[in-house]
Amino acid sequence: GQKKRNKMANKSDELATKEMPFRCYVGYDSHEDITFEVAKYSMEKHSSVPIQVIPLKREEMRKQGIYTRTQDPKQSTEFTYCRFFVPYLQNYKGWAMFVDDDFLWLGDIKELIDQIDDKYAIMCVQHDYKPTVDVKLAGKAQEAYPRKNWSSMVLYNCGHPANQGVNLSMINSQPGSFLHRFSWITDDSLIGKIDYEWNFLVEWYKPYEGERKPKAIHYTEGGPWFPDYRETDYAKEWFDHMKEYEATLPKPRLLCPFERFTCKGTKFLEGYANSDDPWTWVDHE
């Protein structure tokens, strides 16, 4: 029975070890540092296996000379294109995850890693999604396209032959529509499916009945750190984690730009040194 038992071992036993934690690359946007920190905090809090959370920062990648794209008006976050560097950053070996920063993790990432199947080039939640809101966060345009939001949480099989072409020249030259649709993967059967509870689009999917909570909540239309979205579904869960995260800090933090941005005159969170200091794009572009 020993052989059989080994065959049945969980994928996480192989991909998330003390010696080699599972790498979770998270998009980072300098206007919403708190969003990244709460995502990281929640991921680590609920994970029963070793993980390493790595922020993908566009400016750092620019300095390293690997990110050479110019600013794209359709880009709604700083990390729009950073997500496609994961196979490169992994030396085209092993599995790793990319996820947007505007997630709250309530599930144990072990359960996600255990779904990994080496026959796929990537795995993701395959939303059938047409955005209802035309204006994206903080007044940046929201584009509708096939496979919308598939690339917001991706498990990459970095060593898969289909991903070998995802090199620096491709990532830096192809349009967003090509990259976000994973157009380099020409065989759809190489894209594995994950249940939408791992990329639960707030305001798009109806909240679960009863006690059940999504494993990973994605505030894609605007998260509760935006004053105007403070009442969105699952906002309470986000603020609970934010307060737990703040309790770990040696000194009080300041509000981020997006926490001080409103189109509706909403009050900012009180009790921070910059609670009365509004932020607008106009001053900073």
Side-chain angles (χ1 to χ4, degrees), residues 224-230 258-262 266-268:
W225 52 93
F226 282 102
D228 296 348
Y229 289 88
R230 202 170 286 149
F258 282 172
E259 294 177 282
R260 297 179 285 118
F261 176 91
T262 175
T266 315
K267 290 275 288 167
F268 305 145

Side-chain angles (χ1 to χ4, degrees), residues 20-159:
M20 283 288 281
F22 187 77
R23 287 192 184 162
C24 305
Y25 292 91
V26 179
Y28 183 90
D29 191 303
S30 60
H31 304 94
E32 51 183 24
D33 175 76
I34 188 62
T35 313
F36 166 78
E37 292 294 355
V38 170
K40 176 178 188 281
Y41 175 83
S42 66
M43 254 178 176
E44 292 173 343
K45 175 183 177 177
H46 300 290
S47 178
S48 65
V49 292
I51 59 172
Q52 179 187 1
V53 180
I54 303 168
L56 283 184
K57 300 187 175 182
R58 186 181 65 192
E59 292 322 303
E60 284 183 10
M61 294 165 81
R62 277 220 172 104
K63 284 192 189 107
Q64 292 159 0
I66 59 174
Y67 188 108
T68 56
R69 297 186 78 103
T70 49
Q71 179 67 16
D72 170 355
K74 290 185 179 147
Q75 193 171 340
S76 58
T77 62
E78 291 172 0
F79 56 81
T80 296
Y81 297 106
C82 298
R83 72 193 71 222
F84 303 109
F85 287 82
V86 168
Y88 165 85
L89 292 169
Q90 288 287 110
N91 267 327
Y92 303 95
K93 286 190 184 76
W95 283 84
M97 179 171 76
F98 169 81
V99 66
D100 283 359
D101 64 347
D102 56 351
F103 272 64
L104 182 71
W105 291 77
L106 300 180
D108 183 349
I109 208 164
K110 175 194 192 300
E111 296 170 30
L112 182 60
I113 299 168
D114 283 338
Q115 296 179 48
I116 283 177
D117 187 329
D118 291 327
K119 72 180 180 202
Y120 297 119
I122 60 170
M123 298 179 73
C124 64
V125 177
Q126 302 186 7
H127 310 281
D128 178 24
Y129 171 93
K130 316 273 180 300
T132 45
V133 184
D134 272 346
V135 178
K136 180 86 171 171
L137 315 176
K140 296 264 176 168
Q142 170 68 292
E143 237 197 326
Y145 50 81
R147 296 188 172 167
K148 174 78 183 169
N149 253 311
W150 287 25
S151 67
S152 56
M153 195 280 286
V154 186
L155 294 163
Y156 278 104
N157 186 356
C158 302

Side-chain angles (χ1 to χ4, degrees), residues 17 19 21 51 58 195 204 285:
T17 65
E19 300 302 334
I51 59 172
R58 186 181 65 192
D195 187 278
W204 185 251
E285 280 295 83

Side-chain angles (χ1 to χ4, degrees), residues 112-239:
L112 182 60
I113 299 168
D114 283 338
Q115 296 179 48
I116 283 177
D117 187 329
D118 291 327
K119 72 180 180 202
Y120 297 119
I122 60 170
M123 298 179 73
C124 64
V125 177
Q126 302 186 7
H127 310 281
D128 178 24
Y129 171 93
K130 316 273 180 300
T132 45
V133 184
D134 272 346
V135 178
K136 180 86 171 171
L137 315 176
K140 296 264 176 168
Q142 170 68 292
E143 237 197 326
Y145 50 81
R147 296 188 172 167
K148 174 78 183 169
N149 253 311
W150 287 25
S151 67
S152 56
M153 195 280 286
V154 186
L155 294 163
Y156 278 104
N157 186 356
C158 302
H160 193 284
N163 292 326
Q164 302 315 291
V166 188
N167 53 30
L168 295 184
S169 49
M170 179 208 272
I171 305 164
N172 283 306
S173 65
Q174 286 289 352
S177 53
F178 175 93
L179 294 167
H180 284 289
R181 288 174 204 157
F182 311 119
S183 300
W184 69 86
I185 300 175
T186 47
D187 175 355
D188 283 359
S189 71
L190 294 178
I191 304 181
K193 260 199 179 70
I194 287 168
D195 187 278
Y196 79 98
E197 67 180 354
W198 290 99
N199 187 347
F200 186 100
L201 305 175
V202 171
E203 313 256 336
W204 185 251
Y205 295 127
K206 266 206 359 234
Y208 293 127
E209 305 281 310
E211 294 295 290
R212 184 182 176 190
K213 297 268 170 73
K215 307 276 191 189
I217 299 165
H218 184 188
Y219 304 96
T220 180
E221 308 286 6
W225 52 93
F226 282 102
D228 296 348
Y229 289 88
R230 202 170 286 149
E231 305 297 316
T232 196
D233 293 339
Y234 299 113
K236 182 192 180 301
E237 286 79 358
W238 191 86
F239 280 114

